[in-house]
């Protein structure tokens, strides 16, 4: 799916999304499941998980071993 998107869509570049502010993360009032791949290259998984745990009231955050950004492709189980 991603390959087709990038091959056929008229995307010249992807704009990076700005991170959420601390106050935006503190305001989250729904349960969050955050899964970060151990080999994620966009953001540091350790810093992302630590920040989520510190700022989001109801978060379950884990680093998934052996995968990167596309964990559902790399380890669909």
């Amino acid at each position: 799916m991603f390959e087709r998107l990038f091959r056929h869509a008229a995307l010249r570049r992807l704009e990076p999304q700005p991170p959420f502010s601390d106050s935006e993360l503190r305001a989250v009032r729904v349960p969050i499941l955050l899964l970060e791949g151990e080999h994620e290259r966009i953001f540091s998984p350790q810093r992302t998980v630590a920040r989520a745990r510190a700022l989001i009231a109801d978060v379950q955050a884990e680093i998934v071993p052996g995968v990167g950004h596309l964990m559902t492709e790399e380890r669909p189980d």
Side-chain angles (χ1 to χ4, degrees), residues 9-58:
L11 297 175
R12 297 284 180 224
R13 65 180 187 183
L14 294 176
E15 295 292 328
Q17 296 296 311
F20 291 101
S21 70
D22 287 1
S23 61
E24 288 173 315
L25 292 176
R26 283 189 195 100
V28 173
R29 297 290 178 241
V30 296
I32 300 290
L33 172 61
L34 172 64
L35 301 174
E36 285 285 320
E38 174 186 26
H39 303 296
E40 171 65 63
R41 293 177 184 232
I42 296 174
F43 298 105
S44 162
Q46 294 80 11
R47 287 197 325 238
T48 300
V49 165
R51 186 167 181 244
R53 287 177 177 162
L55 298 174
I56 301 172
D58 190 1

Side-chain angles (χ1 to χ4, degrees), residues 8 18 25 27 33 63 70 73 75:
H8 298 292
L25 292 176
L33 172 61
I63 296 175
L70 295 174
E73 295 291 319
R75 235 181 85 193

